[in-house]
């Protein structure tokens, strides 16, 4: 027989079960937190927004993608840790930021003058070499999904940067890549690793003298307002690997994962199709703003840059892996 006490206990248990079930209903969407460090109005920012839109459509609303731009959630180094811990599910760090994770091969993308064009680069990122590089992330609990372009970097400072001698003693902010460190050292500059979110202020206050970035990043962070000179050197490439927490990805229902793969393939095509134009537009906007003087290298100046930076390839061969460098150069057609 049910006593009054048992009835009360049962009622309590039912209420508890309901209260536990309710949030489960409310939360039954799969949430993908996609964190990144740049502005929404950049190739990566727009690629992430496109992925959000397509992912939600192709999974019929089963997935909710939340994009957090501008280091809102995490800065460069923290975001990789957050991904591994599962605090966020998706990132698109620059290829120059995988060294601290122990995957140094990606620094091959930082070698000066290694890619003469976007087309040359795509032979790597859309071919076997690109695939085998992404596979190296699996050991770290990370699945690599795609490569997204930004563009070719320009150098900036508060003094003209025409020849390698102009870099002597300048403190230059770099991303956390040993190849970029070697690049700045080869120019006689003093490299300083710093999170992207801190660069504007560091330039403004003189903590560093200059930096390198594609025009889209320079413009959307207003770095042109605190740099009087820039050189259109296109001396190196900056692009991204879109990555997910492996355990999260492997645990998704198959149909959901298929929808997300389709969304990622289309968002990748979109991001890569707008990257050059976004950078051209940003450069034009900075030229119009008139706060920075932009210098085009003469043939002779360019030859001097190439000669000064050439030794970096040899110097970094052991760190990156001679095989990786050879595979990239073969794909590019050197
Ligand atoms: C940088 O730190 O300069 C870039 O990697 C930022 C970015 O994500 O484009």
């Amino acid at each position: 027989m049910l006593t009054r006490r048992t009835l009360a206990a049962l009622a309590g248990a039912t209420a508890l079960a309901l209260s536990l079930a309710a949030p489960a209903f409310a939360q039954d969407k799969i949430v993908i937190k996609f964190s990144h460090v740049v502005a929404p109005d950049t190739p990566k920012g727009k690629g992430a927004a496109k992925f959000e839109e397509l992912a939600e459509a192709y999974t019929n609303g089963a997935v909710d993608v939340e994009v957090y731009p501008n280091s809102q959630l995490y800065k460069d180094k923290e975001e990789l840790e957050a991904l591994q811990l599962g605090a966020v599910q998706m990132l698109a760090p620059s290829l120059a930021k995988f060294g601290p994770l122990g995957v140094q091969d990606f620094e091959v993308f930082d070698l000066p003058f290694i890619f003469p064009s976007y087309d040359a680069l795509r032979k790597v990122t859309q071919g076997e070499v690109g695939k085998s590089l992404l596979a190296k992330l699996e050991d770290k609990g990370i699945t690599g999904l795609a490569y997204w372009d930004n563009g070719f970097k320009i150098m900036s400072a508060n003094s003209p940067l025409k020849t390698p001698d102009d870099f002597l003693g300048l403190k230059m902010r770099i991303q956390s890549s040993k190849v970029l460190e070697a690049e700045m050292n080869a120019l006689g500059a003093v490299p300083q690793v710093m999170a992207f979110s801190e660069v504007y202020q560091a330039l403004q206050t003189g903590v560093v003298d200059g930096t390198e970035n594609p025009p889209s990043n320079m413009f959307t962070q207003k770095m042109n307002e605190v740099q009087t000179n820039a050189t259109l050197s296109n001396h190196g490439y900056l692009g991204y690997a879109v990555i997910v927490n492996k355990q999260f990805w492997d645990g998704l229902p198959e149909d959901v994962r298929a929808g997300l793969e389709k969304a990622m393939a289309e968002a990748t095509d979109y991001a890569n199709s707008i990257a050059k134009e976004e950078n051209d537009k940003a450069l034009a906007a900075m030229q119009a703003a008139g706060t920075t003087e932009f210098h085009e290298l003469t043939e002779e100046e360019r030859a001097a840059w190439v000669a000064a930076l050439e030794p970096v390839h040899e110097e970094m061969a052991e760190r990156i892996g001679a095989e990786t460098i050879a595979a990239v150069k073969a794909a590019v057609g050197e």
Side-chain angles (χ1 to χ4, degrees):
M1 204 172 87
L2 292 173
T3 62
R4 194 184 280 248
R5 248 168 92 186
T6 341
L7 276 175
L10 270 177
T14 311
L16 179 67
L18 280 175
S19 72
L20 286 176
F25 276 115
Q27 290 171 1
D28 73 353
K29 276 183 186 253
I30 297 166
V31 176
I32 297 183
K33 289 191 176 157
F34 186 160
S35 167
H36 69 81
V37 300
V38 296
D41 202 13
T42 53
K44 176 160 64 178
K46 291 187 173 182
K50 177 62 82 182
F51 175 71
E52 175 178 3
E53 172 200 323
L54 296 175
E56 292 175 2
Y58 293 159
T59 60
N60 299 315
V63 170
D64 183 14
V65 179
E66 297 172 359
V67 180
Y68 297 92
N70 269 326
S71 309
Q72 239 170 57
L73 283 188
Y74 300 102
K75 295 200 264 186
D76 301 312
K77 192 162 166 286
E78 291 89 330
E79 71 172 15
L80 277 160
E81 289 161 5
L83 184 83
Q84 286 182 300
L85 291 171
V88 293
Q89 288 69 40
M90 188 174 280
L91 307 173
S94 116
L95 300 165
K97 291 178 183 166
F98 287 91
L101 204 66
V103 189
Q104 294 153 208
D105 305 58
F106 284 98
E107 291 180 4
V108 70
F109 290 98
D110 299 328
L111 285 172
F113 297 111
I114 191 168
F115 304 112
S117 63
Y118 279 104
D119 283 347
L121 163 90
R122 298 253 167 80
K123 290 186 187 150
V124 177
T125 52
Q126 295 178 3
E128 282 309 309
V129 184
K131 217 184 276 176
S132 70
L133 285 175
L134 290 181
K136 294 187 186 235
L137 295 169
E138 295 280 317
D139 276 359
K140 309 289 171 191
I142 292 173
T143 298
L145 298 179
Y147 290 96
W148 287 2
D149 285 336
N150 189 330
F152 292 89
K153 292 178 285 187
I154 63 184
M155 287 280 197
S156 66
N158 287 311
S159 50
L161 300 170
K162 295 181 181 171
T163 70
D165 290 347
D166 294 331
F167 285 85
L168 203 63
L170 290 185
K171 282 176 279 165
M172 298 293 285
R173 179 270 170 172
I174 54 163
Q175 307 173 76
S176 60
S177 155
K178 293 289 176 202
V179 171
L180 299 180
E181 192 177 309
E183 170 200 276
M184 291 301 179
N185 283 330
L187 292 169
V190 183
Q192 212 151 307
V193 175
M194 187 179 287
F196 185 65
S197 56
E198 291 164 11
V199 182
Y200 175 86
Q201 210 186 356
L203 290 169
Q204 190 186 35
T205 55
V207 168
V208 290
D209 301 305
T211 189
E212 55 166 19
N213 241 305
S216 63
N217 276 350
M218 186 174 173
F219 178 59
T220 52
Q221 299 298 322
K222 300 188 167 55
M223 292 181 202
N224 59 309
E225 293 176 6
V226 288
Q227 297 276 264
T228 57
N229 295 79
T231 295
L232 306 178
S233 46
N234 295 327
H235 61 281
Y237 168 78
L238 189 147
Y240 311 105
V242 187
I243 56 177
V244 281
N245 177 293
K246 178 174 159 52
Q247 201 182 352
F248 166 79
W249 193 249
D250 291 347
L252 289 171
E254 229 160 88
D255 58 330
V256 169
R257 196 166 50 237
L260 294 176
E261 277 166 355
K262 182 166 145 70
M264 183 52 66
E266 288 181 27
T268 298
D269 285 346
Y270 169 76
N272 292 345
S273 74
I274 62 164
K276 181 172 186 311
E277 197 186 318
E278 290 291 316
N279 277 298
D280 290 347
K281 277 198 298 198
L283 178 59
M286 289 191 288
Q287 282 168 327
T291 47
T292 311
E293 193 176 313
F294 290 89
H295 176 68
E296 297 247 19
L297 291 177
T298 64
E299 287 276 310
E300 205 181 319
E301 286 165 351
R302 189 168 192 279
W305 282 54
V306 172
L309 293 171
E310 183 66 46
V312 173
H313 288 234
E314 187 65 41
E315 197 186 322
M316 288 291 115
E318 200 179 322
R319 176 173 168 88
I320 297 168
E323 249 174 57
T324 297
I325 297 183
V328 166
K329 288 189 174 173
V332 168
E334 251 185 46

